[in-house]
PDB file of all heavy atoms in Angstrom:
ATOM      1  N   TYR A1355      14.915  28.330  26.623  1.00  0.00           N
ATOM      2  CA  TYR A1355      14.689  28.920  27.946  1.00  0.00           C
ATOM      3  C   TYR A1355      15.143  27.957  29.029  1.00  0.00           C
ATOM      4  O   TYR A1355      15.620  26.867  28.744  1.00  0.00           O
ATOM      5  CB  TYR A1355      13.214  29.311  28.120  1.00  0.00           C
ATOM      6  CG  TYR A1355      12.223  28.171  28.132  1.00  0.00           C
ATOM      7  CD1 TYR A1355      11.710  27.684  29.328  1.00  0.00           C
ATOM      8  CD2 TYR A1355      11.783  27.594  26.949  1.00  0.00           C
ATOM      9  CE1 TYR A1355      10.777  26.650  29.348  1.00  0.00           C
ATOM     10  CE2 TYR A1355      10.856  26.560  26.955  1.00  0.00           C
ATOM     11  CZ  TYR A1355      10.358  26.093  28.158  1.00  0.00           C
ATOM     12  OH  TYR A1355       9.445  25.071  28.158  1.00  0.00           O
ATOM     13  N   MET A1384      13.508  23.846  26.362  1.00  0.00           N
ATOM     14  CA  MET A1384      14.278  24.060  27.589  1.00  0.00           C
ATOM     15  C   MET A1384      15.713  23.636  27.335  1.00  0.00           C
ATOM     16  O   MET A1384      15.949  22.642  26.637  1.00  0.00           O
ATOM     17  CB  MET A1384      13.726  23.196  28.718  1.00  0.00           C
ATOM     18  CG  MET A1384      12.478  23.741  29.320  1.00  0.00           C
ATOM     19  SD  MET A1384      12.117  22.870  30.856  1.00  0.00           S
ATOM     20  CE  MET A1384      10.602  22.079  30.406  1.00  0.00           C
ATOM     21  N   CYS A1405      19.090  24.846  35.740  1.00  0.00           N
ATOM     22  CA  CYS A1405      17.852  25.386  36.299  1.00  0.00           C
ATOM     23  C   CYS A1405      17.161  24.258  37.076  1.00  0.00           C
ATOM     24  O   CYS A1405      17.082  23.122  36.588  1.00  0.00           O
ATOM     25  CB  CYS A1405      16.993  25.823  35.117  1.00  0.00           C
ATOM     26  SG  CYS A1405      15.466  26.612  35.533  1.00  0.00           S
ATOM     27  N   ASP A1406      16.667  24.538  38.282  1.00  0.00           N
ATOM     28  CA  ASP A1406      16.134  23.416  39.061  1.00  0.00           C
ATOM     29  C   ASP A1406      14.775  22.964  38.516  1.00  0.00           C
ATOM     30  O   ASP A1406      14.082  23.726  37.835  1.00  0.00           O
ATOM     31  CB  ASP A1406      16.108  23.738  40.559  1.00  0.00           C
ATOM     32  CG  ASP A1406      14.971  24.652  40.947  1.00  0.00           C
ATOM     33  OD1 ASP A1406      13.807  24.277  40.726  1.00  0.00           O
ATOM     34  OD2 ASP A1406      15.257  25.746  41.461  1.00  0.00           O
ATOM     35  N   PRO A1407      14.407  21.701  38.782  1.00  0.00           N
ATOM     36  CA  PRO A1407      13.221  21.111  38.146  1.00  0.00           C
ATOM     37  C   PRO A1407      11.934  21.907  38.369  1.00  0.00           C
ATOM     38  O   PRO A1407      11.116  22.034  37.456  1.00  0.00           O
ATOM     39  CB  PRO A1407      13.130  19.724  38.794  1.00  0.00           C
ATOM     40  CG  PRO A1407      14.523  19.412  39.219  1.00  0.00           C
ATOM     41  CD  PRO A1407      15.152  20.721  39.594  1.00  0.00           C
ATOM     42  N   ASP A1408      11.742  22.453  39.568  1.00  0.00           N
ATOM     43  CA  ASP A1408      10.503  23.204  39.810  1.00  0.00           C
ATOM     44  C   ASP A1408      10.432  24.448  38.939  1.00  0.00           C
ATOM     45  O   ASP A1408       9.376  24.802  38.407  1.00  0.00           O
ATOM     46  CB  ASP A1408      10.401  23.605  41.292  1.00  0.00           C
ATOM     47  CG  ASP A1408      10.082  22.405  42.168  1.00  0.00           C
ATOM     48  OD1 ASP A1408       9.702  21.358  41.599  1.00  0.00           O
ATOM     49  OD2 ASP A1408      10.236  22.514  43.396  1.00  0.00           O
ATOM     50  N   ARG A1409      11.574  25.105  38.802  1.00  0.00           N
ATOM     51  CA  ARG A1409      11.583  26.316  37.966  1.00  0.00           C
ATOM     52  C   ARG A1409      11.370  25.946  36.504  1.00  0.00           C
ATOM     53  O   ARG A1409      10.716  26.663  35.756  1.00  0.00           O
ATOM     54  CB  ARG A1409      12.900  27.088  38.138  1.00  0.00           C
ATOM     55  CG  ARG A1409      13.005  27.734  39.524  1.00  0.00           C
ATOM     56  CD  ARG A1409      14.094  28.781  39.592  1.00  0.00           C
ATOM     57  NE  ARG A1409      13.822  29.915  38.730  1.00  0.00           N
ATOM     58  CZ  ARG A1409      14.637  30.337  37.768  1.00  0.00           C
ATOM     59  NH1 ARG A1409      15.766  29.712  37.545  1.00  0.00           N
ATOM     60  NH2 ARG A1409      14.335  31.375  37.044  1.00  0.00           N
ATOM     61  N   ARG A1410      11.923  24.825  36.088  1.00  0.00           N
ATOM     62  CA  ARG A1410      11.712  24.376  34.705  1.00  0.00           C
ATOM     63  C   ARG A1410      10.219  24.161  34.453  1.00  0.00           C
ATOM     64  O   ARG A1410       9.678  24.557  33.422  1.00  0.00           O
ATOM     65  CB  ARG A1410      12.482  23.071  34.441  1.00  0.00           C
ATOM     66  CG  ARG A1410      13.981  23.268  34.362  1.00  0.00           C
ATOM     67  CD  ARG A1410      14.713  21.940  34.406  1.00  0.00           C
ATOM     68  NE  ARG A1410      14.588  21.165  33.187  1.00  0.00           N
ATOM     69  CZ  ARG A1410      15.365  21.301  32.122  1.00  0.00           C
ATOM     70  NH1 ARG A1410      16.322  22.205  32.123  1.00  0.00           N
ATOM     71  NH2 ARG A1410      15.196  20.552  31.071  1.00  0.00           N
ATOM     72  N   THR A1411       9.562  23.531  35.425  1.00  0.00           N
ATOM     73  CA  THR A1411       8.121  23.301  35.281  1.00  0.00           C
ATOM     74  C   THR A1411       7.378  24.633  35.201  1.00  0.00           C
ATOM     75  O   THR A1411       6.492  24.822  34.363  1.00  0.00           O
ATOM     76  CB  THR A1411       7.607  22.469  36.480  1.00  0.00           C
ATOM     77  OG1 THR A1411       8.314  21.234  36.488  1.00  0.00           O
ATOM     78  CG2 THR A1411       6.116  22.198  36.369  1.00  0.00           C
ATOM     79  N   ASP A1412       7.763  25.572  36.068  1.00  0.00           N
ATOM     80  CA  ASP A1412       7.108  26.894  36.045  1.00  0.00           C
ATOM     81  C   ASP A1412       7.299  27.572  34.690  1.00  0.00           C
ATOM     82  O   ASP A1412       6.363  28.145  34.124  1.00  0.00           O
ATOM     83  CB  ASP A1412       7.683  27.801  37.144  1.00  0.00           C
ATOM     84  CG  ASP A1412       7.283  27.330  38.536  1.00  0.00           C
ATOM     85  OD1 ASP A1412       6.368  26.477  38.630  1.00  0.00           O
ATOM     86  OD2 ASP A1412       7.893  27.802  39.511  1.00  0.00           O
ATOM     87  N   PHE A1413       8.532  27.517  34.182  1.00  0.00           N
ATOM     88  CA  PHE A1413       8.813  28.115  32.870  1.00  0.00           C
ATOM     89  C   PHE A1413       7.924  27.474  31.792  1.00  0.00           C
ATOM     90  O   PHE A1413       7.342  28.153  30.948  1.00  0.00           O
ATOM     91  CB  PHE A1413      10.285  27.870  32.478  1.00  0.00           C
ATOM     92  CG  PHE A1413      11.249  28.928  32.946  1.00  0.00           C
ATOM     93  CD1 PHE A1413      12.320  28.602  33.773  1.00  0.00           C
ATOM     94  CD2 PHE A1413      11.126  30.241  32.520  1.00  0.00           C
ATOM     95  CE1 PHE A1413      13.236  29.561  34.180  1.00  0.00           C
ATOM     96  CE2 PHE A1413      12.039  31.213  32.917  1.00  0.00           C
ATOM     97  CZ  PHE A1413      13.094  30.870  33.756  1.00  0.00           C
ATOM     98  N   PHE A1414       7.838  26.147  31.837  1.00  0.00           N
ATOM     99  CA  PHE A1414       7.084  25.419  30.808  1.00  0.00           C
ATOM    100  C   PHE A1414       5.611  25.812  30.841  1.00  0.00           C
ATOM    101  O   PHE A1414       5.002  26.137  29.812  1.00  0.00           O
ATOM    102  CB  PHE A1414       7.240  23.905  31.028  1.00  0.00           C
ATOM    103  CG  PHE A1414       6.443  23.071  30.063  1.00  0.00           C
ATOM    104  CD1 PHE A1414       6.983  22.697  28.837  1.00  0.00           C
ATOM    105  CD2 PHE A1414       5.149  22.661  30.366  1.00  0.00           C
ATOM    106  CE1 PHE A1414       6.241  21.941  27.934  1.00  0.00           C
ATOM    107  CE2 PHE A1414       4.406  21.909  29.472  1.00  0.00           C
ATOM    108  CZ  PHE A1414       4.952  21.544  28.255  1.00  0.00           C
ATOM    109  N   VAL A1415       5.041  25.785  32.044  1.00  0.00           N
ATOM    110  CA  VAL A1415       3.610  26.087  32.182  1.00  0.00           C
ATOM    111  C   VAL A1415       3.338  27.530  31.765  1.00  0.00           C
ATOM    112  O   VAL A1415       2.382  27.822  31.040  1.00  0.00           O
ATOM    113  CB  VAL A1415       3.149  25.813  33.635  1.00  0.00           C
ATOM    114  CG1 VAL A1415       1.746  26.338  33.876  1.00  0.00           C
ATOM    115  CG2 VAL A1415       3.229  24.316  33.933  1.00  0.00           C
ATOM    116  N   HIS A1416       4.224  28.427  32.190  1.00  0.00           N
ATOM    117  CA  HIS A1416       4.051  29.841  31.836  1.00  0.00           C
ATOM    118  C   HIS A1416       4.103  30.027  30.315  1.00  0.00           C
ATOM    119  O   HIS A1416       3.268  30.727  29.734  1.00  0.00           O
ATOM    120  CB  HIS A1416       5.147  30.664  32.516  1.00  0.00           C
ATOM    121  CG  HIS A1416       5.078  32.121  32.193  1.00  0.00           C
ATOM    122  ND1 HIS A1416       4.112  32.953  32.724  1.00  0.00           N
ATOM    123  CD2 HIS A1416       5.830  32.887  31.354  1.00  0.00           C
ATOM    124  CE1 HIS A1416       4.282  34.177  32.244  1.00  0.00           C
ATOM    125  NE2 HIS A1416       5.310  34.163  31.404  1.00  0.00           N
ATOM    126  N   THR A1417       5.074  29.377  29.684  1.00  0.00           N
ATOM    127  CA  THR A1417       5.235  29.503  28.227  1.00  0.00           C
ATOM    128  C   THR A1417       3.970  29.033  27.515  1.00  0.00           C
ATOM    129  O   THR A1417       3.447  29.706  26.618  1.00  0.00           O
ATOM    130  CB  THR A1417       6.439  28.645  27.767  1.00  0.00           C
ATOM    131  OG1 THR A1417       7.586  29.082  28.483  1.00  0.00           O
ATOM    132  CG2 THR A1417       6.680  28.764  26.277  1.00  0.00           C
ATOM    133  N   SER A1590      -0.541  20.313  32.482  1.00  0.00           N
ATOM    134  CA  SER A1590       0.225  19.816  33.636  1.00  0.00           C
ATOM    135  C   SER A1590       0.642  18.366  33.423  1.00  0.00           C
ATOM    136  O   SER A1590       1.674  17.933  33.933  1.00  0.00           O
ATOM    137  CB  SER A1590      -0.533  20.003  34.945  1.00  0.00           C
ATOM    138  OG  SER A1590      -1.797  19.439  34.852  1.00  0.00           O
ATOM    139  N   THR A1593       3.979  18.269  31.794  1.00  0.00           N
ATOM    140  CA  THR A1593       5.148  18.535  32.646  1.00  0.00           C
ATOM    141  C   THR A1593       5.693  17.242  33.257  1.00  0.00           C
ATOM    142  O   THR A1593       6.819  17.216  33.723  1.00  0.00           O
ATOM    143  CB  THR A1593       4.834  19.526  33.793  1.00  0.00           C
ATOM    144  OG1 THR A1593       3.903  18.905  34.677  1.00  0.00           O
ATOM    145  CG2 THR A1593       4.279  20.836  33.281  1.00  0.00           C
ATOM    146  N   CYS A1594       4.861  16.184  33.277  1.00  0.00           N
ATOM    147  CA  CYS A1594       5.386  14.912  33.806  1.00  0.00           C
ATOM    148  C   CYS A1594       5.328  13.823  32.738  1.00  0.00           C
ATOM    149  O   CYS A1594       5.141  12.650  33.042  1.00  0.00           O
ATOM    150  CB  CYS A1594       4.693  14.497  35.100  1.00  0.00           C
ATOM    151  SG  CYS A1594       2.954  14.810  35.187  1.00  0.00           S
TER     152      CYS A1594
END
Side-chain angles (χ1 to χ4, degrees):
Y1355 65 100
M1384 283 193 245
C1405 184
D1406 77 60
D1408 287 347
R1409 290 195 65 237
R1410 288 168 72 86
T1411 300
D1412 291 346
F1413 271 121
F1414 177 88
V1415 170
H1416 179 74
T1417 303
S1590 53
T1593 66
C1594 38

